[in-house]
Amino acid sequence: MSAPPRRLEQIARSTALVSGLVLLAFAAAELCNDAIGLVSLEAMGDVAAWRTALIRSWPGTALLFVAFAAHVGTTLWFVARRATLRMPLWDGILTISGILVPVLLLPTIVDTSGARVLFGVDDDSLYRLAKLWPEHAFFYVILIVLLWGHGCLGLHQWLKLRPRYASIAPVLGVVALALPIAAVAGLVAAARVVSVLMADENFAGQVRAATRWPTADAEDALWRWRLGALAAYAVLLLGVAGALTARFLRIVVAPKIDVTYVNGPTLKASTGPTLLEISRIHGVLHADACGGRGRCKACSVRIEQGEASLPPRSAAELEMLGSEGPLIRLGCQIRPSAALTVTRLTHTADAAAAEPELDMAGIERQVAALCVQLQDQSTVLGARRAYDAIFLLNEFLDMVHAAVKNHNGWVARVTGSGIIAVFGRDDTAEAACRSAATASADIDVALDRMNEKFAAELGRPIAAAMALTFGTAYLGRIGAGSPKPLTAIGPVIDAAIGLASLTEARGNQFLSDPTAFQAGGLDPKGFELLTLTAKSGETRQVFATNHARLALPPDKPPPVPPG
Ligand code: FES
């Protein structure tokens, strides 16, 4: 199976998501109905009458059928086109439960809806409960656990990337656990009552007559239908297994290219799989938080060489990487077809531990340090609810982080409402200072964009205080306990922090140590030259501006303006 057009993949992802949400809503309604069995059999029957009226209406039936077919279809399609079976644990659980649910659900559908359509059985709650207890009860509980677990895990993986999910996750977690427990308890309570009632021949006869209970011949026919449905699904699974095998064979014989990971291995990789799949096939650590669905940015890489061979950004990349430079791509969206060199931009904990050059003893480097702080943070954040304040702060830090990463910088420390970034860990002094200046110009522009985006919520624009210094830093793993984070300390970092405070106190946007301008060959035109006097009486000079974009080196393309 060759790689499908990216648009088709996008449609399949959306279809899987929407159909999954529809099925989860139906499942939740079913579980709520079962839970009412804890109240009484009558109450359960009354609610079931409403629920079945909805499901048996033609829009309800059509929606349920289409959602089921679409969800199973897309699940199998994504399985068939996997390039490797290596995947995160949660993705494995989601995939296996997605394959198993129809195995348990199809016989239930035949026994209820199938019996109604084929033999006119009234599959109301009395019929279902009488059929359920005791021999099918265990089977049904397994179905509830598998189906509900699959739905909740899928929903969690989708929502966990949303900024406000953390605040509602505990409530959703309680509902996700309580509902199936209540449903099973209600179902067992109601089924036991029905089983006692069914022991009375008179009552059983009335129930059989009222529900048009299937005859022995009809039961035989339903058994054959159950078998047929499972056989058809087994054929489908065999087809998927065949497609998967063919895909693996194509990958084995496909032309090979060099894929080089900066600070990592160089591989001979087959063309066809995505970069993230190549990483997984070869056991290279590569972060991902959405299972390669193009929703998280964790797999981002910077293309160091070979960008010309890559297709333009996919819709998912355009959405996720809108403000990032053109060399930043999502590893799960690009399929290398020629030699490629990349830097992984999100370090997994294991990958960080695998960086041998920055050991506990540390190293000394001449670097540019850029300290970026949210100005007047107590006023900006103090008036907001906790989750709004955290959301806004994360948007700000993400924006700064993106600009830093985009220009080969490294976030050495997050200081509450700011970031200390280091440039030049593996670069010349000139390149380091120019990269830091370019990042500060990008932040200036991105801040305008952020203020536009949140204008209605903010009430007043937010501002950043930036400070650029150049000098000596010590890089290493510093901290208490284990693992120790990789960070930077030293005079240049202290100077950047001190200068950033001064930037804020003066109401400027950007102050720079002239040494950084000198080392980077930057043009101070448009900057004010200030002479500052320290408490000790010592004087120093700094360049100051309210527009950090003036620091952009003349040979760099200007950042994209807002809008
Ligand atoms: S793995 Fe989430 S966007 Fe690529």
Side-chain angles (χ1 to χ4, degrees):
M1 185 176 290
S2 60
R6 292 188 295 175
R7 181 89 189 114
L8 182 60
E9 181 169 338
Q10 196 75 18
I11 291 170
R13 290 267 177 234
S14 304
T15 304
L17 178 64
V18 173
S19 58
L21 290 174
V22 170
L23 293 176
L24 193 62
F26 273 103
E30 176 82 35
L31 294 190
C32 286
N33 194 171
D34 290 344
I36 290 173
L38 286 171
V39 179
S40 73
L41 193 57
E42 290 72 28
M44 191 182 186
D46 289 346
V47 175
W50 284 94
R51 193 180 52 78
T52 49
L54 176 71
I55 292 175
R56 288 182 196 172
S57 67
W58 76 260
T61 306
L63 182 63
L64 192 53
F65 176 78
V66 170
F68 179 69
H71 201 67
V72 173
T74 48
T75 298
L76 297 183
W77 188 73
F78 281 117
V79 171
R81 55 182 299 276
R82 277 189 175 277
T84 171
L85 294 180
R86 285 186 184 176
M87 62 188 98
L89 179 64
W90 67 263
D91 206 1
I93 294 173
L94 210 52
T95 304
I96 291 172
S97 57
I99 291 171
L100 286 180
V101 164
V103 175
L104 299 177
L105 195 56
L106 285 171
T108 307
I109 294 174
V110 171
D111 273 345
T112 51
S113 305
R116 174 162 45 84
V117 172
L118 294 168
F119 302 107
V121 172
D122 183 3
D123 60 322
D124 65 0
S125 60
L126 208 52
Y127 170 83
R128 285 177 55 226
L129 291 167
K131 280 273 193 181
L132 183 75
W133 194 261
E135 64 265 30
H136 295 123
F138 180 69
F139 168 87
Y140 191 68
V141 170
I142 300 284
L143 173 60
I144 287 179
V145 170
L146 209 58
L147 191 149
W148 187 247
H150 173 85
C152 289
L153 181 58
L155 187 67
H156 166 75
Q157 290 299 332
W158 177 54
L159 288 181
K160 76 176 184 185
L161 305 168
R162 317 253 142 189
R164 302 199 177 173
Y165 177 56
S167 59
I168 58 165
V171 179
L172 291 183
V174 170
V175 173
L177 269 179
L179 193 52
I181 292 172
V184 170
L187 204 66
V188 170
R192 291 183 65 165
V193 172
V194 171
S195 114
V196 170
L197 292 174
M198 289 294 280
D200 177 347
E201 274 307 315
N202 249 347
F203 182 83
Q206 284 172 17
V207 170
R208 286 173 196 279
T211 59
R212 296 182 290 279
W213 198 272
T215 61
D217 285 349
E219 289 282 14
D220 282 350
L222 285 174
W223 185 80
R224 285 193 295 278
W225 273 96
R226 281 198 297 270
L227 221 56
L230 288 177
Y233 188 59
V235 169
L236 211 55
L237 289 184
L238 278 177
V240 170
L244 198 57
T245 310
R247 171 108 166 102
F248 289 168
L249 289 176
R250 282 174 68 107
I251 290 173
V252 169
V253 298
K256 303 289 183 278
I257 52 167
D258 283 338
V259 175
T260 302
Y261 298 81
V262 173
N263 290 332
T266 295
L267 312 168
K268 284 269 176 242
S270 299
T271 53
T274 64
L275 180 64
L276 180 64
E277 287 170 333
I278 289 173
S279 301
R280 285 180 181 165
I281 289 170
H282 295 272
V284 175
L285 294 168
H286 198 149
D288 89 85
C290 71
R293 289 163 174 78
R295 294 185 197 139
C296 73
K297 278 168 81 167
C299 63
S300 299
V301 292
R302 185 175 53 246
I303 309 297
E304 308 292 353
Q305 278 173 15
E307 70 272 15
S309 65
L310 295 173
R313 281 178 171 177
S314 66
E317 287 182 288
L318 288 173
E319 193 184 330
M320 300 302 304
L321 303 173
S323 61
E324 309 267 10
L327 294 182
I328 307 298
R329 304 294 300 262
L330 294 182
C332 66
Q333 300 293 308
I334 53 172
R335 296 178 188 275
S337 57
L340 199 67
T341 301
V342 298
T343 300
R344 291 157 288 171
L345 296 182
T346 307
H347 279 205
T348 61
D350 291 345
E355 284 182 291
E357 82 279 19
L358 292 172
D359 62 15
M360 294 282 289
I363 53 170
E364 187 178 320
R365 287 270 200 282
Q366 291 294 105
V367 299
L370 181 66
C371 180
V372 185
Q373 288 177 4
L374 180 65
Q375 286 217 26
D376 203 7
Q377 60 135 327
S378 52
T379 312
V380 173
L381 303 178
R384 295 169 191 280
R385 287 169 183 273
Y387 61 81
D388 273 343
I390 288 171
F391 172 74
L392 182 63
L393 191 54
N394 280 333
E395 285 282 315
F396 175 77
L397 294 176
D398 279 348
M399 177 270 287
V400 175
H401 191 205
V404 168
K405 280 199 306 180
N406 230 4
H407 297 289
N408 297 338
W410 165 62
V411 173
R413 228 184 286 170
V414 176
T415 58
S417 62
I419 273 177
I420 298 167
V422 167
F423 297 78
R425 198 176 77 175
D426 310 303
D427 234 333
T428 62
E430 184 185 5
C433 293
R434 292 168 78 84
S435 295
T438 312
S440 66
D442 275 11
I443 292 167
D444 180 13
V445 174
L447 203 55
D448 287 353
R449 197 177 297 128
M450 194 174 156
N451 277 320
E452 265 193 7
K453 185 173 162 190
F454 295 112
E457 293 167 44
L458 286 171
R460 60 166 211 173
I462 58 169
M466 296 185 250
L468 174 62
T469 55
F470 176 74
T472 305
Y474 310 111
L475 315 181
R477 297 192 178 281
I478 304 166
S482 183
K484 298 191 187 304
L486 204 53
T487 188
I489 57 169
V492 69
I493 306 291
D494 298 341
I497 294 170
L499 208 51
S501 301
L502 198 58
T503 314
E504 180 164 8
R506 287 185 45 83
N508 283 123
Q509 188 190 55
F510 181 83
L511 292 187
S512 174
D513 177 355
T515 322
F517 267 58
Q518 226 169 16
L522 298 166
D523 183 1
K525 193 171 150 209
F527 284 78
E528 192 184 347
L529 183 62
L530 304 173
T531 302
L532 307 174
T533 309
K535 279 185 191 153
S536 61
E538 203 181 321
T539 59
R540 63 185 290 207
Q541 292 191 311
V542 295
F543 290 130
T545 179
N546 288 333
H547 303 286
R549 63 194 77 181
L550 289 178
L552 188 73
D555 57 334
K556 295 273 184 186
V560 182

